[in-house]
Amino acid sequence: FYADNTSGIAQSVFNLTSCSNNANVTLDGIGAGNCHVGGIAGGIVDGNAIGSITGCTNNGEVRNGTTKSTYTGKWIYTGGIIGQYGFATGKISGCSNTGTVINGVHSNQTGGNIRIGGIAGNADCATFENNTNSGTIKDVSLSYSIDMGGILGRFNCGSASTMTNCNNTGKILSENIFSGETAGYVSLGGIIGRTTKTTLVMKNCANDCTL
């Protein structure tokens, strides 16, 4: 599932409420563009919209690519609930993931385009409340630059945002063995792998996992 209404004729409202998935979700091939995979939604991108994902659960494995996939394109986001959450403003609340979230796409980009999270791989402007992850977050690729977090792989919003009462108990595991690119990096965090803005305030969040 990938919604894209970036033309933004008028501000729209998009809500996902009380959705659940118990099956495995796998992107086996790759295209020429972005690759976003999630247990509930792959990617939602609308820079003019207000959106929310509330009370959704995923219990299946979410896999973005196999270990044989090689990719040289743009962004690769994988999340237990959603791969890419790209609203102008919104909320992810009361969601939980128990499934293993895996990236197997090899990327030779150095801009940090592999983002993996128990709830969301990447999120723009959003408030996060009462989300939990107990699934393993794993990268098995040869990618240059990776952001991995128990709740969120990467946060990217210039507006004030909060993350409250979000908890992770799942393992964060990088099996990345690439060593030929000096400009690359791997960022691992029990709650968030990496933030590119200084606008997020975290309150009452907890991590109890192995990194």
PDB file of all heavy atoms in Angstrom, residues 1-41:
ATOM      1  N   PHE A   1       0.849  -1.191   0.000  1.00  0.00           N
ATOM      2  CA  PHE A   1       0.000   0.000   0.000  1.00  0.00           C
ATOM      3  C   PHE A   1       0.878   1.232   0.000  1.00  0.00           C
ATOM      4  O   PHE A   1       1.756   1.364   0.849  1.00  0.00           O
ATOM      5  CB  PHE A   1      -0.901   0.005   1.235  1.00  0.00           C
ATOM      6  CG  PHE A   1      -1.751   1.244   1.368  1.00  0.00           C
ATOM      7  CD1 PHE A   1      -2.921   1.359   0.646  1.00  0.00           C
ATOM      8  CD2 PHE A   1      -1.370   2.279   2.194  1.00  0.00           C
ATOM      9  CE1 PHE A   1      -3.700   2.492   0.764  1.00  0.00           C
ATOM     10  CE2 PHE A   1      -2.134   3.411   2.326  1.00  0.00           C
ATOM     11  CZ  PHE A   1      -3.313   3.515   1.597  1.00  0.00           C
ATOM     12  N   TYR A   2       0.686   2.111  -0.968  1.00  0.00           N
ATOM     13  CA  TYR A   2       1.488   3.333  -1.033  1.00  0.00           C
ATOM     14  C   TYR A   2       0.581   4.459  -1.505  1.00  0.00           C
ATOM     15  O   TYR A   2       0.099   4.451  -2.634  1.00  0.00           O
ATOM     16  CB  TYR A   2       2.658   3.172  -1.992  1.00  0.00           C
ATOM     17  CG  TYR A   2       3.586   4.367  -2.008  1.00  0.00           C
ATOM     18  CD1 TYR A   2       4.593   4.495  -1.054  1.00  0.00           C
ATOM     19  CD2 TYR A   2       3.461   5.367  -2.960  1.00  0.00           C
ATOM     20  CE1 TYR A   2       5.454   5.575  -1.051  1.00  0.00           C
ATOM     21  CE2 TYR A   2       4.316   6.456  -2.963  1.00  0.00           C
ATOM     22  CZ  TYR A   2       5.313   6.554  -2.020  1.00  0.00           C
ATOM     23  OH  TYR A   2       6.154   7.638  -2.032  1.00  0.00           O
ATOM     24  N   ALA A   3       0.311   5.414  -0.621  1.00  0.00           N
ATOM     25  CA  ALA A   3      -0.520   6.561  -0.964  1.00  0.00           C
ATOM     26  C   ALA A   3       0.365   7.764  -1.205  1.00  0.00           C
ATOM     27  O   ALA A   3       1.271   8.049  -0.432  1.00  0.00           O
ATOM     28  CB  ALA A   3      -1.506   6.856   0.161  1.00  0.00           C
ATOM     29  N   ASP A   4       0.127   8.476  -2.297  1.00  0.00           N
ATOM     30  CA  ASP A   4       0.936   9.647  -2.625  1.00  0.00           C
ATOM     31  C   ASP A   4       0.029  10.707  -3.231  1.00  0.00           C
ATOM     32  O   ASP A   4      -0.489  10.546  -4.328  1.00  0.00           O
ATOM     33  CB  ASP A   4       2.032   9.260  -3.606  1.00  0.00           C
ATOM     34  CG  ASP A   4       3.044  10.390  -3.821  1.00  0.00           C
ATOM     35  OD1 ASP A   4       2.708  11.544  -3.475  1.00  0.00           O
ATOM     36  OD2 ASP A   4       4.133  10.112  -4.324  1.00  0.00           O
ATOM     37  N   ASN A   5      -0.151  11.787  -2.488  1.00  0.00           N
ATOM     38  CA  ASN A   5      -0.985  12.880  -2.966  1.00  0.00           C
ATOM     39  C   ASN A   5      -0.238  14.199  -2.793  1.00  0.00           C
ATOM     40  O   ASN A   5      -0.731  15.164  -2.246  1.00  0.00           O
ATOM     41  CB  ASN A   5      -2.309  12.923  -2.191  1.00  0.00           C
ATOM     42  CG  ASN A   5      -3.241  14.005  -2.722  1.00  0.00           C
ATOM     43  OD1 ASN A   5      -3.216  14.310  -3.907  1.00  0.00           O
ATOM     44  ND2 ASN A   5      -4.043  14.587  -1.848  1.00  0.00           N
ATOM     45  N   THR A   6       1.000  14.212  -3.253  1.00  0.00           N
ATOM     46  CA  THR A   6       1.864  15.361  -3.012  1.00  0.00           C
ATOM     47  C   THR A   6       1.454  16.587  -3.812  1.00  0.00           C
ATOM     48  O   THR A   6       1.970  17.674  -3.575  1.00  0.00           O
ATOM     49  CB  THR A   6       3.323  15.008  -3.339  1.00  0.00           C
ATOM     50  OG1 THR A   6       3.382  14.455  -4.662  1.00  0.00           O
ATOM     51  CG2 THR A   6       3.865  13.995  -2.346  1.00  0.00           C
ATOM     52  N   SER A   7       0.534  16.440  -4.775  1.00  0.00           N
ATOM     53  CA  SER A   7       0.054  17.621  -5.496  1.00  0.00           C
ATOM     54  C   SER A   7      -0.678  18.561  -4.555  1.00  0.00           C
ATOM     55  O   SER A   7      -0.661  19.780  -4.735  1.00  0.00           O
ATOM     56  CB  SER A   7      -0.860  17.195  -6.648  1.00  0.00           C
ATOM     57  OG  SER A   7      -1.954  16.456  -6.155  1.00  0.00           O
ATOM     58  N   GLY A   8      -1.338  18.002  -3.530  1.00  0.00           N
ATOM     59  CA  GLY A   8      -1.879  18.794  -2.430  1.00  0.00           C
ATOM     60  C   GLY A   8      -2.817  19.911  -2.844  1.00  0.00           C
ATOM     61  O   GLY A   8      -2.649  21.057  -2.447  1.00  0.00           O
ATOM     62  N   ILE A   9      -3.837  19.615  -3.616  1.00  0.00           N
ATOM     63  CA  ILE A   9      -4.803  20.648  -4.002  1.00  0.00           C
ATOM     64  C   ILE A   9      -5.480  21.220  -2.761  1.00  0.00           C
ATOM     65  O   ILE A   9      -5.686  22.421  -2.638  1.00  0.00           O
ATOM     66  CB  ILE A   9      -5.844  20.058  -4.973  1.00  0.00           C
ATOM     67  CG1 ILE A   9      -5.141  19.621  -6.262  1.00  0.00           C
ATOM     68  CG2 ILE A   9      -6.932  21.069  -5.271  1.00  0.00           C
ATOM     69  CD1 ILE A   9      -6.042  18.893  -7.229  1.00  0.00           C
ATOM     70  N   ALA A  10      -5.827  20.369  -1.825  1.00  0.00           N
ATOM     71  CA  ALA A  10      -6.390  20.809  -0.549  1.00  0.00           C
ATOM     72  C   ALA A  10      -5.882  19.879   0.539  1.00  0.00           C
ATOM     73  O   ALA A  10      -5.561  18.717   0.277  1.00  0.00           O
ATOM     74  CB  ALA A  10      -7.917  20.780  -0.607  1.00  0.00           C
ATOM     75  N   GLN A  11      -5.805  20.389   1.744  1.00  0.00           N
ATOM     76  CA  GLN A  11      -5.327  19.547   2.832  1.00  0.00           C
ATOM     77  C   GLN A  11      -6.332  18.447   3.109  1.00  0.00           C
ATOM     78  O   GLN A  11      -7.520  18.686   3.298  1.00  0.00           O
ATOM     79  CB  GLN A  11      -5.099  20.372   4.096  1.00  0.00           C
ATOM     80  CG  GLN A  11      -4.422  19.556   5.187  1.00  0.00           C
ATOM     81  CD  GLN A  11      -4.099  20.382   6.407  1.00  0.00           C
ATOM     82  OE1 GLN A  11      -5.003  20.889   7.059  1.00  0.00           O
ATOM     83  NE2 GLN A  11      -2.822  20.524   6.706  1.00  0.00           N
ATOM     84  N   SER A  12      -5.856  17.224   3.131  1.00  0.00           N
ATOM     85  CA  SER A  12      -6.715  16.070   3.356  1.00  0.00           C
ATOM     86  C   SER A  12      -6.383  15.435   4.699  1.00  0.00           C
ATOM     87  O   SER A  12      -5.371  15.721   5.313  1.00  0.00           O
ATOM     88  CB  SER A  12      -6.528  15.046   2.230  1.00  0.00           C
ATOM     89  OG  SER A  12      -5.176  14.650   2.136  1.00  0.00           O
ATOM     90  N   VAL A  13      -7.290  14.573   5.140  1.00  0.00           N
ATOM     91  CA  VAL A  13      -7.120  13.844   6.391  1.00  0.00           C
ATOM     92  C   VAL A  13      -7.162  12.362   6.078  1.00  0.00           C
ATOM     93  O   VAL A  13      -8.091  11.884   5.417  1.00  0.00           O
ATOM     94  CB  VAL A  13      -8.216  14.202   7.413  1.00  0.00           C
ATOM     95  CG1 VAL A  13      -8.033  13.376   8.677  1.00  0.00           C
ATOM     96  CG2 VAL A  13      -8.188  15.690   7.729  1.00  0.00           C
ATOM     97  N   PHE A  14      -6.157  11.627   6.552  1.00  0.00           N
ATOM     98  CA  PHE A  14      -6.065  10.199   6.279  1.00  0.00           C
ATOM     99  C   PHE A  14      -5.829   9.469   7.584  1.00  0.00           C
ATOM    100  O   PHE A  14      -4.860   9.749   8.287  1.00  0.00           O
ATOM    101  CB  PHE A  14      -4.914   9.922   5.306  1.00  0.00           C
ATOM    102  CG  PHE A  14      -4.828   8.496   4.853  1.00  0.00           C
ATOM    103  CD1 PHE A  14      -5.512   8.067   3.730  1.00  0.00           C
ATOM    104  CD2 PHE A  14      -4.067   7.563   5.547  1.00  0.00           C
ATOM    105  CE1 PHE A  14      -5.439   6.757   3.308  1.00  0.00           C
ATOM    106  CE2 PHE A  14      -3.991   6.248   5.146  1.00  0.00           C
ATOM    107  CZ  PHE A  14      -4.680   5.851   4.012  1.00  0.00           C
ATOM    108  N   ASN A  15      -6.715   8.525   7.934  1.00  0.00           N
ATOM    109  CA  ASN A  15      -6.616   7.812   9.203  1.00  0.00           C
ATOM    110  C   ASN A  15      -6.647   6.308   8.989  1.00  0.00           C
ATOM    111  O   ASN A  15      -7.469   5.796   8.210  1.00  0.00           O
ATOM    112  CB  ASN A  15      -7.767   8.197  10.134  1.00  0.00           C
ATOM    113  CG  ASN A  15      -7.748   9.663  10.500  1.00  0.00           C
ATOM    114  OD1 ASN A  15      -6.698  10.227  10.765  1.00  0.00           O
ATOM    115  ND2 ASN A  15      -8.907  10.285  10.516  1.00  0.00           N
ATOM    116  N   LEU A  16      -5.764   5.591   9.681  1.00  0.00           N
ATOM    117  CA  LEU A  16      -5.817   4.137   9.773  1.00  0.00           C
ATOM    118  C   LEU A  16      -6.067   3.799  11.232  1.00  0.00           C
ATOM    119  O   LEU A  16      -5.283   4.184  12.106  1.00  0.00           O
ATOM    120  CB  LEU A  16      -4.502   3.511   9.311  1.00  0.00           C
ATOM    121  CG  LEU A  16      -4.217   3.472   7.810  1.00  0.00           C
ATOM    122  CD1 LEU A  16      -2.792   2.995   7.558  1.00  0.00           C
ATOM    123  CD2 LEU A  16      -5.211   2.585   7.093  1.00  0.00           C
ATOM    124  N   THR A  17      -7.154   3.079  11.506  1.00  0.00           N
ATOM    125  CA  THR A  17      -7.553   2.816  12.890  1.00  0.00           C
ATOM    126  C   THR A  17      -7.849   1.339  13.089  1.00  0.00           C
ATOM    127  O   THR A  17      -8.584   0.726  12.301  1.00  0.00           O
ATOM    128  CB  THR A  17      -8.797   3.645  13.258  1.00  0.00           C
ATOM    129  OG1 THR A  17      -8.527   5.025  13.022  1.00  0.00           O
ATOM    130  CG2 THR A  17      -9.168   3.451  14.720  1.00  0.00           C
ATOM    131  N   SER A  18      -7.263   0.751  14.138  1.00  0.00           N
ATOM    132  CA  SER A  18      -7.551  -0.624  14.578  1.00  0.00           C
ATOM    133  C   SER A  18      -7.364  -1.641  13.456  1.00  0.00           C
ATOM    134  O   SER A  18      -8.151  -2.578  13.305  1.00  0.00           O
ATOM    135  CB  SER A  18      -8.984  -0.701  15.133  1.00  0.00           C
ATOM    136  OG  SER A  18      -9.142   0.170  16.232  1.00  0.00           O
ATOM    137  N   CYS A  19      -6.303  -1.485  12.676  1.00  0.00           N
ATOM    138  CA  CYS A  19      -5.972  -2.459  11.640  1.00  0.00           C
ATOM    139  C   CYS A  19      -4.967  -3.465  12.203  1.00  0.00           C
ATOM    140  O   CYS A  19      -4.178  -3.138  13.093  1.00  0.00           O
ATOM    141  CB  CYS A  19      -5.370  -1.764  10.426  1.00  0.00           C
ATOM    142  SG  CYS A  19      -6.483  -0.585   9.622  1.00  0.00           S
ATOM    143  N   SER A  20      -5.001  -4.684  11.676  1.00  0.00           N
ATOM    144  CA  SER A  20      -4.074  -5.698  12.173  1.00  0.00           C
ATOM    145  C   SER A  20      -3.599  -6.594  11.044  1.00  0.00           C
ATOM    146  O   SER A  20      -4.290  -6.784  10.032  1.00  0.00           O
ATOM    147  CB  SER A  20      -4.745  -6.560  13.254  1.00  0.00           C
ATOM    148  OG  SER A  20      -5.840  -7.278  12.717  1.00  0.00           O
ATOM    149  N   ASN A  21      -2.399  -7.129  11.214  1.00  0.00           N
ATOM    150  CA  ASN A  21      -1.837  -8.066  10.259  1.00  0.00           C
ATOM    151  C   ASN A  21      -1.137  -9.187  11.007  1.00  0.00           C
ATOM    152  O   ASN A  21      -0.366  -8.937  11.937  1.00  0.00           O
ATOM    153  CB  ASN A  21      -0.832  -7.382   9.337  1.00  0.00           C
ATOM    154  CG  ASN A  21      -0.121  -8.377   8.445  1.00  0.00           C
ATOM    155  OD1 ASN A  21      -0.750  -9.050   7.633  1.00  0.00           O
ATOM    156  ND2 ASN A  21       1.193  -8.483   8.584  1.00  0.00           N
ATOM    157  N   ASN A  22      -1.409 -10.430  10.595  1.00  0.00           N
ATOM    158  CA  ASN A  22      -0.768 -11.592  11.209  1.00  0.00           C
ATOM    159  C   ASN A  22       0.040 -12.409  10.202  1.00  0.00           C
ATOM    160  O   ASN A  22       0.611 -13.437  10.564  1.00  0.00           O
ATOM    161  CB  ASN A  22      -1.818 -12.492  11.857  1.00  0.00           C
ATOM    162  CG  ASN A  22      -2.512 -11.824  13.012  1.00  0.00           C
ATOM    163  OD1 ASN A  22      -1.867 -11.298  13.916  1.00  0.00           O
ATOM    164  ND2 ASN A  22      -3.835 -11.812  12.999  1.00  0.00           N
ATOM    165  N   ALA A  23       0.099 -11.955   8.957  1.00  0.00           N
ATOM    166  CA  ALA A  23       0.811 -12.682   7.911  1.00  0.00           C
ATOM    167  C   ALA A  23       2.177 -12.060   7.654  1.00  0.00           C
ATOM    168  O   ALA A  23       2.434 -10.920   8.022  1.00  0.00           O
ATOM    169  CB  ALA A  23      -0.014 -12.666   6.622  1.00  0.00           C
ATOM    170  N   ASN A  24       3.044 -12.834   7.016  1.00  0.00           N
ATOM    171  CA  ASN A  24       4.342 -12.300   6.629  1.00  0.00           C
ATOM    172  C   ASN A  24       4.194 -11.393   5.409  1.00  0.00           C
ATOM    173  O   ASN A  24       3.430 -11.685   4.494  1.00  0.00           O
ATOM    174  CB  ASN A  24       5.317 -13.432   6.306  1.00  0.00           C
ATOM    175  CG  ASN A  24       5.661 -14.263   7.520  1.00  0.00           C
ATOM    176  OD1 ASN A  24       5.509 -13.808   8.659  1.00  0.00           O
ATOM    177  ND2 ASN A  24       6.120 -15.476   7.295  1.00  0.00           N
ATOM    178  N   VAL A  25       4.936 -10.280   5.411  1.00  0.00           N
ATOM    179  CA  VAL A  25       4.908  -9.329   4.300  1.00  0.00           C
ATOM    180  C   VAL A  25       6.317  -9.241   3.746  1.00  0.00           C
ATOM    181  O   VAL A  25       7.255  -8.875   4.456  1.00  0.00           O
ATOM    182  CB  VAL A  25       4.436  -7.938   4.768  1.00  0.00           C
ATOM    183  CG1 VAL A  25       4.430  -6.961   3.608  1.00  0.00           C
ATOM    184  CG2 VAL A  25       3.050  -8.022   5.404  1.00  0.00           C
ATOM    185  N   THR A  26       6.482  -9.563   2.456  1.00  0.00           N
ATOM    186  CA  THR A  26       7.818  -9.596   1.852  1.00  0.00           C
ATOM    187  C   THR A  26       7.822  -8.878   0.518  1.00  0.00           C
ATOM    188  O   THR A  26       6.982  -9.139  -0.350  1.00  0.00           O
ATOM    189  CB  THR A  26       8.287 -11.044   1.620  1.00  0.00           C
ATOM    190  OG1 THR A  26       8.299 -11.739   2.860  1.00  0.00           O
ATOM    191  CG2 THR A  26       9.680 -11.069   1.012  1.00  0.00           C
ATOM    192  N   LEU A  27       8.763  -7.946   0.351  1.00  0.00           N
ATOM    193  CA  LEU A  27       9.052  -7.374  -0.960  1.00  0.00           C
ATOM    194  C   LEU A  27      10.216  -8.162  -1.520  1.00  0.00           C
ATOM    195  O   LEU A  27      11.349  -8.051  -1.045  1.00  0.00           O
ATOM    196  CB  LEU A  27       9.421  -5.892  -0.837  1.00  0.00           C
ATOM    197  CG  LEU A  27       9.838  -5.208  -2.143  1.00  0.00           C
ATOM    198  CD1 LEU A  27       8.676  -5.171  -3.126  1.00  0.00           C
ATOM    199  CD2 LEU A  27      10.359  -3.803  -1.888  1.00  0.00           C
ATOM    200  N   ASP A  28       9.935  -8.997  -2.537  1.00  0.00           N
ATOM    201  CA  ASP A  28      10.938  -9.931  -3.037  1.00  0.00           C
ATOM    202  C   ASP A  28      11.786  -9.314  -4.136  1.00  0.00           C
ATOM    203  O   ASP A  28      12.949  -9.644  -4.301  1.00  0.00           O
ATOM    204  CB  ASP A  28      10.247 -11.189  -3.555  1.00  0.00           C
ATOM    205  CG  ASP A  28      11.036 -12.442  -3.227  1.00  0.00           C
ATOM    206  OD1 ASP A  28      12.099 -12.309  -2.602  1.00  0.00           O
ATOM    207  OD2 ASP A  28      10.598 -13.528  -3.602  1.00  0.00           O
ATOM    208  N   GLY A  29      11.184  -8.432  -4.929  1.00  0.00           N
ATOM    209  CA  GLY A  29      11.923  -7.775  -5.989  1.00  0.00           C
ATOM    210  C   GLY A  29      12.091  -6.315  -5.667  1.00  0.00           C
ATOM    211  O   GLY A  29      11.639  -5.816  -4.646  1.00  0.00           O
ATOM    212  N   ILE A  30      12.769  -5.594  -6.526  1.00  0.00           N
ATOM    213  CA  ILE A  30      12.969  -4.168  -6.325  1.00  0.00           C
ATOM    214  C   ILE A  30      12.664  -3.437  -7.618  1.00  0.00           C
ATOM    215  O   ILE A  30      12.783  -3.976  -8.707  1.00  0.00           O
ATOM    216  CB  ILE A  30      14.405  -3.846  -5.871  1.00  0.00           C
ATOM    217  CG1 ILE A  30      15.421  -4.421  -6.870  1.00  0.00           C
ATOM    218  CG2 ILE A  30      14.675  -4.362  -4.476  1.00  0.00           C
ATOM    219  CD1 ILE A  30      16.846  -4.048  -6.565  1.00  0.00           C
ATOM    220  N   GLY A  31      12.242  -2.187  -7.494  1.00  0.00           N
ATOM    221  CA  GLY A  31      11.958  -1.367  -8.653  1.00  0.00           C
ATOM    222  C   GLY A  31      13.023  -0.313  -8.849  1.00  0.00           C
ATOM    223  O   GLY A  31      14.090  -0.348  -8.244  1.00  0.00           O
ATOM    224  N   ALA A  32      12.703   0.668  -9.684  1.00  0.00           N
ATOM    225  CA  ALA A  32      13.663   1.731  -9.976  1.00  0.00           C
ATOM    226  C   ALA A  32      13.535   2.893  -9.003  1.00  0.00           C
ATOM    227  O   ALA A  32      14.336   3.807  -9.028  1.00  0.00           O
ATOM    228  CB  ALA A  32      13.450   2.228 -11.403  1.00  0.00           C
ATOM    229  N   GLY A  33      12.516   2.872  -8.155  1.00  0.00           N
ATOM    230  CA  GLY A  33      12.275   3.984  -7.243  1.00  0.00           C
ATOM    231  C   GLY A  33      12.429   3.578  -5.799  1.00  0.00           C
ATOM    232  O   GLY A  33      13.237   2.724  -5.445  1.00  0.00           O
ATOM    233  N   ASN A  34      11.613   4.173  -4.924  1.00  0.00           N
ATOM    234  CA  ASN A  34      11.689   3.904  -3.499  1.00  0.00           C
ATOM    235  C   ASN A  34      11.099   2.538  -3.162  1.00  0.00           C
ATOM    236  O   ASN A  34      10.197   2.065  -3.847  1.00  0.00           O
ATOM    237  CB  ASN A  34      10.940   4.985  -2.724  1.00  0.00           C
ATOM    238  CG  ASN A  34      11.471   6.367  -3.051  1.00  0.00           C
ATOM    239  OD1 ASN A  34      12.649   6.533  -3.337  1.00  0.00           O
ATOM    240  ND2 ASN A  34      10.607   7.362  -3.010  1.00  0.00           N
ATOM    241  N   CYS A  35      11.599   1.925  -2.092  1.00  0.00           N
ATOM    242  CA  CYS A  35      11.096   0.632  -1.637  1.00  0.00           C
ATOM    243  C   CYS A  35      10.676   0.754  -0.178  1.00  0.00           C
ATOM    244  O   CYS A  35      11.524   0.778   0.718  1.00  0.00           O
ATOM    245  CB  CYS A  35      12.174  -0.446  -1.769  1.00  0.00           C
ATOM    246  SG  CYS A  35      12.717  -0.761  -3.459  1.00  0.00           S
ATOM    247  N   HIS A  36       9.361   0.834   0.076  1.00  0.00           N
ATOM    248  CA  HIS A  36       8.844   0.990   1.432  1.00  0.00           C
ATOM    249  C   HIS A  36       7.944  -0.202   1.759  1.00  0.00           C
ATOM    250  O   HIS A  36       7.039  -0.535   0.994  1.00  0.00           O
ATOM    251  CB  HIS A  36       8.028   2.279   1.562  1.00  0.00           C
ATOM    252  CG  HIS A  36       8.789   3.517   1.185  1.00  0.00           C
ATOM    253  ND1 HIS A  36      10.139   3.651   1.404  1.00  0.00           N
ATOM    254  CD2 HIS A  36       8.377   4.674   0.599  1.00  0.00           C
ATOM    255  CE1 HIS A  36      10.534   4.847   0.982  1.00  0.00           C
ATOM    256  NE2 HIS A  36       9.494   5.473   0.488  1.00  0.00           N
ATOM    257  N   VAL A  37       8.171  -0.816   2.918  1.00  0.00           N
ATOM    258  CA  VAL A  37       7.402  -1.995   3.318  1.00  0.00           C
ATOM    259  C   VAL A  37       7.000  -1.857   4.779  1.00  0.00           C
ATOM    260  O   VAL A  37       7.804  -1.453   5.623  1.00  0.00           O
ATOM    261  CB  VAL A  37       8.227  -3.290   3.127  1.00  0.00           C
ATOM    262  CG1 VAL A  37       7.393  -4.508   3.503  1.00  0.00           C
ATOM    263  CG2 VAL A  37       8.714  -3.413   1.695  1.00  0.00           C
ATOM    264  N   GLY A  38       5.736  -2.208   5.090  1.00  0.00           N
ATOM    265  CA  GLY A  38       5.253  -2.205   6.462  1.00  0.00           C
ATOM    266  C   GLY A  38       4.214  -3.273   6.675  1.00  0.00           C
ATOM    267  O   GLY A  38       3.580  -3.743   5.729  1.00  0.00           O
ATOM    268  N   GLY A  39       4.020  -3.669   7.925  1.00  0.00           N
ATOM    269  CA  GLY A  39       3.008  -4.670   8.218  1.00  0.00           C
ATOM    270  C   GLY A  39       1.600  -4.193   7.934  1.00  0.00           C
ATOM    271  O   GLY A  39       0.737  -4.975   7.537  1.00  0.00           O
ATOM    272  N   ILE A  40       1.348  -2.893   8.120  1.00  0.00           N
ATOM    273  CA  ILE A  40       0.033  -2.314   7.851  1.00  0.00           C
ATOM    274  C   ILE A  40       0.042  -1.508   6.564  1.00  0.00           C
ATOM    275  O   ILE A  40      -0.839  -1.646   5.719  1.00  0.00           O
ATOM    276  CB  ILE A  40      -0.429  -1.431   9.028  1.00  0.00           C
ATOM    277  CG1 ILE A  40      -0.511  -2.273  10.315  1.00  0.00           C
ATOM    278  CG2 ILE A  40      -1.775  -0.783   8.727  1.00  0.00           C
ATOM    279  CD1 ILE A  40      -1.498  -3.418  10.261  1.00  0.00           C
ATOM    280  N   ALA A  41       1.019  -0.631   6.377  1.00  0.00           N
ATOM    281  CA  ALA A  41       1.114   0.197   5.170  1.00  0.00           C
ATOM    282  C   ALA A  41       2.564   0.327   4.757  1.00  0.00           C
ATOM    283  O   ALA A  41       3.456   0.456   5.610  1.00  0.00           O
ATOM    284  CB  ALA A  41       0.508   1.579   5.412  1.00  0.00           C
TER     285      ALA A  41
END
